[in-house]
Amino acid sequence: MASGQESATAAHRAAAPDTGTPAAGGDDGVSTGGPGRLAAWSRGALPRTLLAVVAGLALAAAFPPYGLWPLSVLAVAALSALTHRRTARQGAWTGLAMGLAFFLGLLKWLNVIGWDAVIGLSLLQAFFFVPLGAALALTSRLPLWPLWAACLWVAEEWARDRVPLGGFPWGRLAFANTDTPFTPLAALGGAPLVTFAVALTGALAACACLRAWRIRRSLVCRAALPAAGAAGLAAVTVLAGSAVPVRTDADETVRIAVVQGNVQQPGMDFLGRPMLILNNHVEATLQLAEDVRSGREEQPDLVIWPENASDLDPHRYPDAYQAIDRAARAVGVPILVGALVDHPTREGYVENQGIVWDPRTGPGDSYTKQHPVPFGEYVPYRDVLSRFITRLERVPRDFWPGETTGVLDVGPARLGDVICFEVAYDGIVRDTVNDGARALVIQTNNATYGRTGQPEQQLAMSSLRAVEHGRAVVTAAPSGISAIVAPDGTVEQRTEEFTQDVLIGELPLRDARTVASRVGAAPEWGLALGGLVAWGWAIARNRRLRRADSPGTAPGPCGPGGPAGGGPGSDGRGAR
């Protein structure tokens, strides 16, 4: 049996932070260099890298259109295990490998624009997994490390949702779990709490597996208790959502019609000639009006058209105005029209709007999209970048952002309009509900990315928002997928892509707000801060241990759960 001082010294060395130089005989390098270093890479870092890539691809498959949501838990568990008790540098590299594979798999729908766009955006997003991997490695030596791992996942998403250029929230763990046991937790703490629960389950599963691996040869039953405890906590986390009530009772209902006019072709040139898409929606609405007159359909209370249903500004082009007005008068109820509108005072800018069009008085209240998409609806640093990237000429005019939420009275319904990618941003949807929206409308245009899986990914976000805020959600798209989603997240009706179709149904209107709507971003900030504090704690602790391990300094005792302790952070290299 090793002496106490020898065991403590070994523990201090195991906990010391990465200094940038591979340890002699370690799995990432050897003291001899050259062939020896390459061999060490093959034995250690290369297998971990390959496993991280597999985990990243598995995480991508957890999202629609595949929807294999258990893989989101397994991917988190894999990253937790691969970074467990590694150096910060090793963790950072492992995180980068997993993140790049994940986003390449998730965002492959961008290849419609070009594979350089897929690779560029994937690499940018993968860099957020670098600090995540480093932090997971360092905090894995702390007591209760699965808890800190889950908080760090929330922190990573918190940062990625905001920077750069307003952030890109695609690929949050919550968006892979929109119809799973974790989903009801959204009603308590929104998407961040769902992410936390998924990550905590995965980290606990990794803890249980690591414990079980270490004691596999032990005949002492008590040694199996930590592994069983971690597995039990993981099961409790999975089942926690079943205790959260999801309210679906309606204060009243309205009958809606969602018009999907269709486009002629997918891809970057879906618009075709001017008025083509608009005429498709007018045609489908006129057919709906005829069905109502003939008694085949019941009169709706309102009609919803998608984003970009009118590619011409109806305020400036009489043909567009008359076409929309003819459809509204024929159906006899207000239409929420998605249209591109020239900015009234800033020459050269355009606004992406939802306009309430009354059959008697014409255009009325409108909502302007608050968060235009960088490089899709506006070009940052246009003067500089356009010299090198000629493809940016396909965005000839920048979209001007709106400044208010999209709460609009559309006939008898007070609806909250959210346009396209805005559904991915917690704050925009939450503010819309808190400002009085009784149901949500997602006007979107996925024609560019048709049949790529992107429309399914966006529909999943609508389902999560329904549960998060206790609101029915209507998704309207010119080419699909259009859908009606109940307040419990159930997709009650949906269209196929690239078909002309009309969905008709009863839309529940609700006034009660969920806990998530009331508490806002507090859970996200609290959990993210917890992860960052734990990371700072781990850094400070490792520095202290390294000083204690320096020549002439007596090593101090390890705390419970530390390298020499028996808690979750122990790797068996402490006292034996």
Side-chain angles (χ1 to χ4, degrees), residues 110-130:
L110 271 173
N111 67 7
V112 174
I113 299 174
W115 278 104
D116 56 339
V118 178
I119 295 170
L121 183 56
S122 297
L123 187 60
L124 175 64
Q125 297 300 301
F127 277 128
F128 287 91
F129 276 59
V130 172

Side-chain angles (χ1 to χ4, degrees), residues 346-424:
R346 294 184 177 270
E347 186 69 26
Y349 286 93
V350 66
E351 295 178 318
N352 192 348
Q353 288 190 348
I355 305 171
V356 180
W357 204 287
D358 188 89
R360 292 176 297 277
T361 60
D365 290 343
S366 63
Y367 165 66
T368 300
K369 186 176 183 179
Q370 302 172 67
H371 198 304
V373 179
F375 302 103
E377 294 176 322
Y378 76 98
V379 179
Y381 317 111
R382 179 185 288 272
D383 292 342
V384 176
L385 295 179
S386 59
R387 300 176 188 174
F388 309 101
I389 308 175
T390 57
R391 190 184 304 155
L392 297 179
E393 296 174 357
R394 300 183 74 97
V395 187
R397 296 192 295 170
D398 290 339
F399 283 45
W400 190 263
E403 298 178 352
T404 61
T405 59
V407 180
L408 302 169
D409 289 319
V410 187
R414 192 165 177 78
L415 303 178
D417 192 12
V418 176
I419 297 181
C420 201
F421 277 35
E422 290 183 326
V423 70

Side-chain angles (χ1 to χ4, degrees), residues 312-356:
L312 296 178
D313 182 353
H315 302 296
R316 292 191 56 187
Y317 292 89
D319 288 348
Y321 186 106
Q322 292 167 11
I324 299 171
D325 204 54
R326 183 169 72 255
R329 291 180 183 276
V331 76
V333 297
I335 302 176
L336 181 60
V337 178
L340 300 179
V341 176
D342 295 330
H343 195 283
T345 60
R346 294 184 177 270
E347 186 69 26
Y349 286 93
V350 66
E351 295 178 318
N352 192 348
Q353 288 190 348
I355 305 171
V356 180

